[in-house]
Amino acid sequence: VICKLCPLSPPPAKYGGRHTVTLIPGDGIGPELLNHVREVFRFTCVPVDFEVVNVNSALETDDDMNNAITAIRRNGVALKGNIETKHTLPASVKSRNNVLRTSLDLYANVMHCQSLPGVQTRHKNIDIMIIRENTEGEYSSLEHESVSGVVESLKIITRNNSLRIADYAFKLARERGRRRVTAVHKANIMKLGDGLFLQCCREVASGYPEITFDSMIVDNTTMQLVSKPQQFDVMVMPNLYGNVVSNVCAGLVGGPGLVPGANYGHVYAVFETATRNTGKSIAEKNIANPTAMLLASCLMLDHLKLNDYASVIRNAVLTTMNETRLHTADLGGQGTTLEVVQSVMRVIQILRRIRMHVADLPS
Amino acid sequence: MAGKAWRSAIVNLLTKLGLSINGKEKLKPQELSRVVGAAKNETPQSRTFIRGIQTVTLIPGDGIGPEISNAVMKIFEAAKAPIRWEERNVTAIRGPGGKWMIPPDAKESMDKNKIGLKGPLKTPIAAGHPSMNLLLRKTFDLYANVRPCVSIEGYQTPYTDVNLVTIRENTEGEYSGIEHVIVDGVVQSIKLITEQASKRIAEYAFEYARNNQRASVTAVHKANIMRMSDGLFLRKCREAAEKYKDVKFTEMYLDTVCLNMVQDPTQFDVLVMPNLYGDILSDLCAGLIGGLGVTPSGNIGANGVAIFESVHGTAPDIAGKDLANPTALLLSAVMMLRHMGLHGHAKKIETACFDTIRDRKVLTKDLGGNSKCSEFTEAICQRMKDMD
């Protein structure tokens, strides 16, 4: 419980003391969860205004996406739900989430998987940071049909991007006091591509002597993750393996409803749930787990240097998860989304009262 | 000729030629008619139907390979399985024209027998030739890698009740080996998906599901990102699904499969996918049941060739010390028996193996026990003798 003695006044921000953040509701459970985030922010008097930009995934034109990207360029920060990709559409209609990441050069996808005491899982004491290259690799969307019936898909690995992501990983590891970085690859088969990635990681590792660096082949990594996930500390990897490993880790700590994700570039940052699920089948049924989205909004507040607000909301969410054991269906509970959000707001109220009470005490 | 006389005439003829049907002398009329009918129609009959003993090529491999192969041979003998082993070595040799190939006697043996059992092979680092597994794959066009993952009672993992099969396309995809340095610092790897290979693997998956009484097949893909390549793979799976209406077909994104697999693996049945996803997922599933030391694997090729193998390493540190665990190779051999239609023997050996592990009295070190490989083998053989 935080008991800082500074009052909840907003820090100086660019426009009248308040930050503006782009909000992309997306599809499926995105809109309802982001509405809950706004509710919680309003209740907590967070000095953030949301500029809502809707992207209609049914349309084949790019106008919506261009508007969204322009808005994010303007505001610098965004919070988004997942935009559905209809994979029956022709290849010219690219995944909108991917377009957003590459246009804004959000090169690092960071996910912190931690076992939560209130959630029953098969494995305990997991604490893994996953840093995934977010713009190239297998997600380059460069495909062509050279001969009828033969499709080639290109996986691009560049030295610059590999160095960049390795650098990010080691810097983050150093900042957070982590001891070991593991590079995940398949360089025994993709000798040039993943070989280059691995080489870049080694180069960067030499500049961080206090951090142990090792590497592991991706199939062995998944095997180790399901048997002994406690051995991993920080992991860095190219795009596709990052997809696999982050989903495995999210599953290990309790599921897609719990883990927030962040996409960082040099200039922009976009926050969302870590496993990027649209959740079409559970949309508008009041059963989705709001934890991941609320924690993602806390990551955003940390990024905006509104750390106090971030702590309050985060503590409230974790208290609801661990102490009250109010769980939604994905965790085997009976709670609704609304109940969880209301519980979060109740805890925030209590924390605020404690703080005001402490502030009133004679020093 | 009247029925009975005709039947005994055929049986006498076969006996004269040194052949028998299933090793029996007295036959049911249906059995004989089927054989004769098949011979007339030239339908390829299961080889064991005509000859009593089936010959199988055995490749012991390196490291612990020879000892676990011996263990399997001993167990098969105790089970009285109608298998004759033909041992061959597959160290690569340089053929005419400088191309690396497997020794001709090994190739000849496999082409004749069609069925093979392989132990672990050493991966050469500086030998100048590609890995042996790759060579075998190319030589026999082993297009499907099948890995059934079933939880083993007695070998506890955090996951119980796992019962799924991963079928992985084994010839193309991300492992095409085509890479270029475009400019200094930019590398491109090519993932190849062809209509032909996708069709072949999809049809094999459904055929497997049907033959093994599996209820559903799930295609694993990332067509949201790799629209054309995985899209083509998906289309072929959908087309194959049309032909096998008795098997349920679903599609799932790779990330969703990974997410759900570690939370609840019981929801999956048969999974079919391209090469890379298959590599990762099959190892993930092996991890769920206890690792590569207990996971069987089979490779199906064109022209009826099938090579069953253990997928663990050669373990050079324990080679020759009688400490190895033959379970993976044994279960692969059981898979082989099922493939050949010898379900009775397969069941017997599998039950003996699982019972021994469940008993937890005689286990090798990696399974948590203290016994030697020979003791473990002996325990299984004894169990089978007791079953008779």
Side-chain angles (χ1 to χ4, degrees):
Chain A
V1 176
I2 30 90
C3 270
K4 277 216 191 117
L5 295 180
C6 44
L8 281 173
S9 59
K14 258 190 171 177
Y15 304 106
R18 299 178 67 82
H19 295 271
T20 311
V21 167
T22 309
L23 188 87
I24 303 174
D27 301 304
I29 50 175
E32 63 194 83
L33 292 183
L34 287 169
N35 276 338
H36 288 306
V37 168
R38 284 200 279 184
E39 256 175 71
V40 172
F41 274 29
R42 255 197 302 269
F43 184 81
T44 322
C45 307
V46 176
V48 167
D49 293 316
F50 286 109
E51 181 190 347
V52 181
V53 183
N54 282 304
V55 175
N56 189 345
S57 56
L59 295 177
E60 286 187 32
T61 56
D62 291 330
D63 292 336
D64 279 355
M65 268 323 288
N66 290 336
N67 288 340
I69 293 171
T70 312
I72 302 176
R73 288 216 168 107
R74 188 169 46 238
N75 297 322
V77 177
L79 187 61
K80 74 181 263 285
N82 202 43
I83 306 165
E84 192 194 347
T85 307
K86 291 189 167 51
H87 63 260
T88 43
L89 289 175
S92 47
V93 186
K94 308 231 183 277
S95 155
R96 298 224 155 84
N97 303 300
N98 201 22
V99 166
L100 201 132
R101 291 191 289 266
T102 46
S103 313
L104 297 170
D105 200 25
L106 303 168
Y107 66 90
N109 177 259
V110 180
M111 177 177 155
H112 188 183
C113 278
Q114 272 176 303
S115 293
L116 294 176
V119 181
Q120 269 284 53
T121 51
R122 290 184 178 88
H123 307 270
K124 313 259 176 271
N125 299 326
I126 299 176
D127 191 350
I128 308 176
M129 293 218 67
I130 298 169
I131 294 141
R132 160 189 176 187
E133 207 292 325
N134 216 8
T135 54
E136 57 173 25
E138 298 82 350
Y139 288 43
S140 311
S141 301
L142 294 165
E143 296 179 300
H144 52 265
E145 192 163 359
S146 39
V147 173
S148 169
V150 176
V151 176
E152 283 183 5
S153 174
L154 302 181
K155 162 178 165 167
I156 310 286
I157 301 274
T158 59
R159 197 175 151 71
N160 281 347
N161 289 349
S162 305
L163 282 173
R164 195 164 63 159
I165 194 70
D167 209 41
Y168 189 93
F170 277 91
K171 272 209 180 79
L172 191 68
R174 179 176 268 176
E175 218 174 273
R176 305 277 176 99
R178 313 286 283 209
R179 321 301 306 281
R180 190 170 143 229
V181 172
T182 309
V184 178
H185 66 97
K186 191 94 191 149
N188 51 340
I189 304 283
M190 287 181 256
K191 297 186 169 74
L192 291 182
D194 286 354
L196 176 59
F197 181 81
L198 207 53
Q199 196 189 337
C200 294
C201 289
R202 283 202 188 102
E203 272 177 44
V204 173
S206 57
Y208 294 80
E210 81 277 16
I211 299 177
T212 319
F213 171 70
D214 56 8
S215 62
M216 204 184 264
I217 301 184
V218 61
D219 34 353
N220 189 19
T221 309
T222 50
M223 230 186 320
Q224 298 291 326
L225 276 170
V226 294
S227 41
K228 256 191 331 198
Q230 297 82 3
Q231 62 181 291
F232 294 104
D233 193 356
V234 177
M235 298 168 83
V236 64
M237 60 207 89
N239 217 331
L240 184 69
Y241 313 145
N243 186 234
V244 171
V245 170
S246 50
N247 275 275
V248 170
C249 289
L252 291 174
V253 298
L258 293 179
V259 194
N263 304 284
Y264 296 106
H266 283 306
V267 189
Y268 311 108
V270 173
F271 301 87
E272 55 180 349
T273 62
T275 47
R276 302 170 176 167
N277 301 90
T278 321
K280 257 194 326 197
S281 55
I282 56 171
E284 289 169 25
K285 292 190 181 150
N286 200 16
I287 51 174
N289 193 340
T291 308
M293 198 57 93
L294 284 168
L295 290 177
S297 66
C298 294
L299 289 177
M300 181 193 77
L301 291 172
D302 277 328
H303 182 76
L304 292 172
K305 303 268 184 282
L306 295 170
N307 303 97
D308 281 348
Y309 294 99
S311 305
V312 169
I313 300 175
R314 187 176 289 127
N315 281 335
V317 173
L318 293 176
T319 306
T320 302
M321 173 68 49
N322 299 327
E323 311 292 331
T324 70
R325 310 284 165 136
L326 178 62
H327 290 172
T328 42
D330 59 314
L331 298 173
Q334 314 258 337
T336 61
T337 317
L338 202 52
E339 282 170 10
V340 174
V341 173
Q342 281 165 350
S343 165
V344 169
M345 293 199 283
R346 261 200 302 275
V347 178
I348 293 175
Q349 179 91 308
I350 296 171
L351 288 173
R352 225 187 338 210
R353 287 215 182 105
I354 296 175
R355 182 179 284 193
M356 286 192 330
H357 182 71
V358 169
D360 281 343
L361 290 174
S363 44
Chain B
M1 271 188 258
K4 216 170 168 185
W6 171 78
R7 282 198 292 279
S8 28
I10 300 283
V11 174
N12 288 338
L13 178 60
L14 288 175
T15 323
K16 242 200 234 167
L17 294 170
L19 301 170
S20 66
I21 297 178
N22 269 354
K24 293 192 238 169
E25 283 184 27
K26 276 204 169 120
L27 287 164
K28 292 204 196 87
Q30 305 94 294
E31 282 174 302
L32 184 53
S33 305
R34 228 173 94 180
V35 174
V36 176
K40 275 195 196 157
N41 295 335
E42 285 169 37
T43 347
Q45 273 285 303
S46 170
R47 297 172 74 79
T48 51
F49 214 55
I50 310 295
R51 299 204 193 101
I53 310 270
Q54 168 78 67
T55 315
V56 166
T57 308
L58 175 68
I59 300 163
D62 310 304
I64 53 172
E67 37 194 305
I68 53 175
S69 305
N70 277 336
V72 171
M73 287 199 280
K74 221 186 271 175
I75 293 171
F76 267 53
E77 212 185 294
K80 300 199 197 68
I83 304 283
R84 191 175 74 84
W85 304 100
E86 210 171 78
E87 270 189 55
R88 289 286 180 270
N89 188 349
V90 291
T91 326
I93 56 166
R94 260 235 149 94
K99 218 171 115 179
W100 289 101
M101 51 184 234
I102 64 171
D105 62 338
K107 184 166 192 307
E108 199 189 301
S109 170
M110 266 310 301
D111 282 335
K112 181 167 58 100
N113 299 326
K114 300 286 186 197
I115 311 282
L117 184 67
K118 178 175 91 60
L121 291 174
K122 212 165 38 190
T123 313
I125 302 195
H129 62 77
S131 85
M132 289 316 309
N133 291 315
L134 190 61
L135 262 182
L136 278 169
R137 201 172 302 146
K138 286 220 149 73
T139 313
F140 299 108
D141 196 17
L142 300 173
Y143 65 90
N145 178 264
V146 183
R147 225 184 257 192
C149 293
V150 183
S151 283
I152 298 180
E153 243 184 284
Y155 189 41
Q156 287 284 16
T157 59
Y159 300 90
T160 53
D161 301 330
V162 179
N163 188 355
L164 52 89
V165 181
T166 57
I167 298 180
R168 157 192 175 191
E169 205 292 322
N170 219 3
T171 58
E172 52 173 30
E174 298 82 348
Y175 294 9
S176 56
I178 311 171
E179 292 186 291
H180 317 110
V181 178
I182 306 181
V183 287
D184 190 28
V186 179
V187 175
Q188 125 189 331
S189 299
I190 298 190
K191 162 177 164 165
L192 207 62
I193 299 278
T194 59
E195 199 173 315
Q196 199 191 7
S198 305
K199 181 159 176 270
R200 196 163 59 162
I201 193 71
E203 294 195 341
Y204 179 77
F206 280 97
E207 196 61 48
Y208 181 91
R210 189 181 266 174
N211 291 343
N212 290 275
Q213 290 87 43
R214 310 293 301 207
S216 71
V217 171
T218 307
V220 181
H221 65 99
K222 266 214 87 61
N224 50 345
I225 302 288
M226 287 179 262
R227 198 73 56 79
M228 282 176 81
S229 37
D230 283 356
L232 173 59
F233 179 80
L234 259 189
R235 263 202 313 281
K236 292 296 146 197
C237 288
R238 284 192 196 121
E239 282 169 25
E242 291 298 309
K243 296 194 215 147
Y244 292 82
K245 294 272 192 199
D246 49 325
V247 180
K248 182 164 163 248
F249 173 67
T250 46
E251 308 166 1
M252 216 186 245
Y253 288 136
L254 172 66
D255 34 3
T256 315
V257 172
C258 289
L259 189 58
N260 291 341
M261 183 71 78
V262 295
Q263 295 184 276
D264 181 22
T266 59
Q267 59 187 283
F268 296 105
D269 195 352
V270 177
L271 299 164
V272 63
M273 57 213 120
N275 216 334
L276 177 67
Y277 315 150
D279 193 6
I280 300 176
L281 269 180
S282 58
D283 277 3
L284 178 69
C285 298
L288 295 177
I289 62 167
L292 297 178
V294 293
T295 311
S297 172
N299 298 293
I300 312 296
N303 302 322
V305 172
I307 302 185
F308 298 85
E309 59 175 354
S310 58
V311 284
H312 52 72
T314 51
D317 47 334
I318 57 168
K321 295 185 186 160
D322 198 18
L323 293 171
N325 178 1
T327 307
L329 192 63
L330 185 62
L331 290 177
S332 303
V334 165
M335 223 179 128
M336 178 187 80
L337 287 173
R338 289 214 164 92
H339 181 87
M340 288 158 60
L342 294 166
H343 295 281
H345 291 98
K347 189 90 194 128
K348 194 158 108 181
I349 298 174
E350 196 185 42
T351 313
C353 180
F354 284 163
D355 283 348
T356 310
I357 298 178
R358 189 186 307 127
D359 218 19
R360 296 197 66 80
K361 290 213 192 81
V362 189
L363 291 177
T364 48
K365 193 141 175 273
D366 61 315
L367 291 173
N370 257 322
S371 310
K372 293 187 180 298
C373 176
S374 44
E375 291 169 0
F376 183 67
T377 313
E378 190 47 46
I380 299 178
C381 294
Q382 188 56 47
R383 232 171 248 277
M384 282 193 294
K385 289 202 184 81
D386 293 340
M387 270 195 248
D388 283 334

